[in-house]
Every structure is written in C-alpha cells, then in structure tokens.
C-alpha cells in the first residue's frame, strides 16, 4: 500500500484509482453506477475505498448535478411533537430514495422563514417542504423565483403553483366543537394561538360551523388568542380563563401543547377536568394520552402528512418529473375521545 504524501488532508478519487490500479472512470462508476462494473473489480475498488477512508465530495457532485441530495424541511416549531412526527415521515420517505433531510425551525417567524429560504436557495437543495409562517405568502413568492420545487405542508394551498399536503382543519375544528355541543356544552372557549396562522383560522372556522349546524350563535364560542402554540402560552390562557366573570364549561385548544398548559393552570387552581370543565386539544401528540387526565384530541396523521409531502416532492424532482402533475392532498382528521370531556346532565 502506498503512503499518502505528508500533509495531504484528504483522499481523492485519483488516490483510490492509483491504489486500485484502475481508471478514475472505473472508480466513478463504482460510486455512481455500480452495475456497470464487474463484481470482482467492484469489490476490489470498494475495499480500497474503505482502506483509504475515501469520502466522496458532495460539493463536487452538486456542482455537476446542479442540485444536492438534500431535501429541506422548514416547520413552525420543532418543540411541538407534531412536527417531530411530521419530520419522521418525511425523513423516512427521503431515505428510501437515497436522500437526506435538513430540518429547520422558523419559530413561527416570517423573518426567520425568509432567512432559511434564502439559505436553501444558496445551497441549491433538491427541494423544500415548507410549513409557511408568513401569512402574506411573500417569502414563498421570493423563493419561487429560484426555481427550486417545494411542497406546502400542513396548509391547504390550492392557489400555489406547486403541491400541498394538509389535514382538513375546518373539519377538525368542527369535530371538536360538535363533540362538546353534543355533550351539552353551550359556553365554550377557544384557545386559538396566533390569529394570523391559517391552521388557527381554519380550526376556528370549523368550530363556528359546528355551532351554526346546532343552531347556536357564534357568541357561544369565546376566543382566547395566544402569541405562541406552546405549553407556556396555554398556562397563560388558562390563567385568563380562570379570571373570566362567566367561566365556560368547556375549552377547545388549537393544539395539544396549549391544552396541556391550560390543564396545568386548571389543576393548580383546583378546577377539575372534566368534572368542572371539559377540555379538547388538537394533534393527538404522544403526551396527550399520557397526561394526568388523558386528553381528548383531534388526531392529525402527522407521519403520513410528512411522508406524503416528501413523496410528492420526490416525484417532481426525480426521473418522472416531466410527467409530474401538481396535487393538493387533503387528509382527514379523527376525533380521539379520552377522559377530559364530560357529558352535562
């Protein structure tokens, strides 16, 4: 075995070819088109690659191909287990296609979203999966100019010139309110999260739809907006809820983290769930069933959501891209009933 020159930092493809006594083209074929190389030669070159510790240059490959093998995923909040499950589904689908996923967190900030989208363009990612934080759509319009395919995730986007995958949040909001109305509740709070988020708006719309179907006025739903969708914001909303002159008998929260925060505030104040107040969350994260009072929640198929979005992006950027047609996939939510809701007598 030949020794590398002193100070040589990395092993290159020419070093592998020299050591294996084959051409650079043969090494390239072993790496990229192994079926074109005979079995004995392929195994010999692979042994040399392993012995020398050669690692291919993704940057060089990217320059030749014009894009990377990385799919970017930009979500609203990686502190929310819903987005962790979504990322798991996307990563699984991408790995099956030999690609990696770079996960980024906008923290619900349009400014941070714009910075990440600019970075995706600079890195020439294969494509992007984006849960938008900017309600105006300006950051997506800017990103579109770079010609990088993207899929809008967790939001119905029929007006976008690309694919989208979402859960029907209007139907989900209706499921939650219908359950409470059917249980006899007529005074209900909606802990909604940031009002500008489309998901929050759609869940509110669904809640009002269920009220209207029951012949109840919109005033039967009292909204408590929050600036975040986390447990701390839920605790704050719970404190405001406890301060109301006329407390509702039930609470619907825009996600499970808010609901868990509300539950903590109610528990600390001695308000029993569901005996004194019923509570419904949204997403059905793992912690929902493990809460002190198992939480009734509207389940979103997060893993399926992420996997479906990734597959649509792979179709658009793969060998069949010329026949790809944009799709807007809407998945159905499901109400999971547990112990946090009570039927009024």
């Amino acid at each position: 075995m030949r020794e590398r020159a002193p100070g040589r930092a990395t092993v290159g493809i020419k070093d592998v070819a020299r050591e294996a006594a084959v051409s650079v083209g043969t090494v390239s074929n072993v790496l990229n088109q192994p079926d074109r190389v005979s079995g004995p030669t392929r195994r010999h070159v692979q042994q040399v690659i392993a012995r020398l510790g050669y690692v291919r240059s993704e940057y060089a490959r990217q320059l030749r191909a014009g894009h990377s093998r990385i799919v970017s995923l930009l979500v609203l909040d990686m502190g929310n287990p819903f987005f962790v499950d979504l990322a798991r589904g996307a990563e699984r689908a991408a790995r099956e296609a030999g690609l990696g996923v770079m996960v980024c967190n906008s923290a619900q900030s349009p400014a941070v979203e714009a910075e990440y989208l600019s970075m995706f363009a600079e890195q020439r990612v294969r494509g992007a999966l984006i849960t938008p934080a900017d309600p105006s759509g300006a950051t997506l319009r800017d990103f579109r100019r770079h010609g990088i395919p993207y899929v809008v995730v967790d939001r119905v986007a029929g007006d976008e010139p690309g694919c989208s995958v979402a859960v029907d949040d209007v139907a989900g909001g209706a499921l939650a309110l219908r359950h409470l109305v059917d249980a006899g509740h007529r005074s209900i709070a909606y802990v909604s999260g940031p009002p500008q988020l489309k998901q929050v708006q759609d869940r509110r719309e669904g809640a009002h739809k269920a009220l209207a179907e029951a012949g109840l006025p919109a005033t039967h739903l009292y909204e408590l907006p929050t600036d975040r969708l986390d447990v701390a914001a839920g605790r704050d909303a719970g404190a405001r809820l406890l301060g109301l002159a006329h407390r509702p008998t039930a609470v619907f929260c825009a996600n499970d983290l808010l609901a868990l925060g509300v539950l903590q505030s109610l528990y600390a104040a001695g308000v029993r769930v569901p005996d004194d107040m019923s509570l419904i969350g949204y997403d059905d994260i793992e912690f929902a069933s493990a809460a002190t009072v198992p939480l009734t929640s509207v389940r979103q198929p997060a893993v399926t959501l992420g996997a479906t979005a990734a597959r649509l992006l792979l179709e658009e950027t793969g060998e069949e891209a010329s026949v790809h047609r944009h799709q807007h996939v809407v998945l159905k939510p499901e109400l999971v009933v547990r112990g946090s809701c009570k039927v009024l007598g």
Side-chain angles (χ1 to χ4, degrees), residues 38-99:
S38 67
T41 300
R42 182 171 65 248
R43 287 189 291 273
H44 171 61
V45 172
Q46 289 170 339
Q47 289 170 357
V48 172
I49 287 173
R51 188 168 69 244
L52 295 183
Y54 168 74
V55 177
R56 76 173 74 193
S57 170
E58 173 61 19
Y59 178 69
R61 192 215 62 80
Q62 183 174 331
L63 286 177
R64 292 192 299 271
H67 57 71
S68 75
R69 293 187 297 168
I70 297 297
V71 170
S72 57
L73 170 62
L74 180 60
V75 300
L76 293 176
D77 180 13
M78 278 306 296
N80 186 339
F82 166 76
F83 288 111
V84 175
D85 288 341
L86 189 154
R88 186 178 297 119
E91 191 262 352
R92 185 180 304 163
R95 279 182 60 85
E96 290 174 356
L99 303 178

Side-chain angles (χ1 to χ4, degrees), residues 8-334:
R8 183 75 174 270
T10 59
V11 175
I13 193 170
K14 292 181 179 179
D15 298 310
V16 174
R18 185 184 308 111
E19 181 69 19
V22 298
S23 69
V24 170
T26 297
V27 178
S28 178
N29 283 336
V30 169
L31 293 169
N32 301 298
Q33 302 177 77
D35 292 342
R36 298 183 62 177
V37 184
S38 67
T41 300
R42 182 171 65 248
R43 287 189 291 273
H44 171 61
V45 172
Q46 289 170 339
Q47 289 170 357
V48 172
I49 287 173
R51 188 168 69 244
L52 295 183
Y54 168 74
V55 177
R56 76 173 74 193
S57 170
E58 173 61 19
Y59 178 69
R61 192 215 62 80
Q62 183 174 331
L63 286 177
R64 292 192 299 271
H67 57 71
S68 75
R69 293 187 297 168
I70 297 297
V71 170
S72 57
L73 170 62
L74 180 60
V75 300
L76 293 176
D77 180 13
M78 278 306 296
N80 186 339
F82 166 76
F83 288 111
V84 175
D85 288 341
L86 189 154
R88 186 178 297 119
E91 191 262 352
R92 185 180 304 163
R95 279 182 60 85
E96 290 174 356
L99 303 178
V101 176
M102 174 175 61
V103 182
C104 301
N105 179 27
S106 72
Q108 303 171 36
S109 167
V112 174
E113 175 178 271
E115 291 174 4
Y116 272 123
L117 293 181
S118 178
M119 183 184 72
F120 297 164
E122 291 173 1
Q123 295 296 319
R124 299 303 301 173
V125 297
R126 174 72 166 261
L129 307 173
I130 305 166
T131 302
D134 183 0
S136 74
T139 55
L140 279 182
R141 287 193 295 272
D142 288 343
F143 184 63
R144 197 179 303 146
R145 295 180 304 171
H146 299 288
I148 298 174
Y150 65 87
V151 175
V152 174
V153 186
D154 195 31
R155 197 190 77 184
V156 178
D159 56 339
E160 285 291 333
C163 293
S164 67
V165 184
V167 174
D168 189 342
D169 282 321
V170 175
L175 280 175
L177 259 289
R178 197 174 292 125
H179 182 71
L180 293 174
V181 169
D182 289 347
H185 296 278
R186 296 295 181 268
S187 177
I188 303 166
Y190 175 42
V191 178
S192 63
Q196 74 274 12
L197 289 182
K198 189 65 166 62
Q199 296 90 332
V200 167
Q201 297 168 9
D202 287 349
R203 292 165 198 177
R204 180 195 304 112
E205 180 184 341
H208 282 296
K209 180 180 178 181
L211 287 177
E213 289 173 352
L216 299 173
T219 53
H220 282 239
L221 187 70
Y222 179 81
E223 186 167 354
L224 289 166
T226 65
D227 58 359
R228 300 179 313 282
L229 286 162
D230 56 24
V231 173
R235 286 195 295 264
D236 175 70
R240 286 184 282 149
L241 181 69
L242 292 166
L244 295 177
H246 302 285
R247 288 183 190 172
T249 61
V251 184
F252 167 42
C253 296
N255 77 356
D256 287 340
L257 295 182
L258 289 173
L260 292 173
V262 169
L263 180 62
Q264 289 177 6
S265 288
L266 297 180
Y267 181 81
V271 176
R272 298 168 301 170
V273 174
D275 293 338
D276 301 325
M277 192 174 294
S278 290
L279 181 64
I280 291 185
Y282 203 105
D283 290 339
D284 193 35
I285 62 175
E286 183 178 354
F287 299 135
S289 62
T292 305
V293 179
L295 185 64
T296 294
S297 184
V298 177
R299 174 179 293 165
Q300 297 201 82
V303 173
T304 301
L305 191 70
T308 303
R311 291 188 186 109
L312 286 175
L313 187 63
L314 294 173
E315 287 178 11
E316 187 173 355
T317 61
E319 294 180 357
E320 303 298 321
S322 60
V323 297
H324 172 79
R325 295 294 179 268
H326 294 318
Q327 301 176 50
H328 302 288
V329 179
V330 181
L331 306 175
K332 293 297 181 184
E334 174 189 359

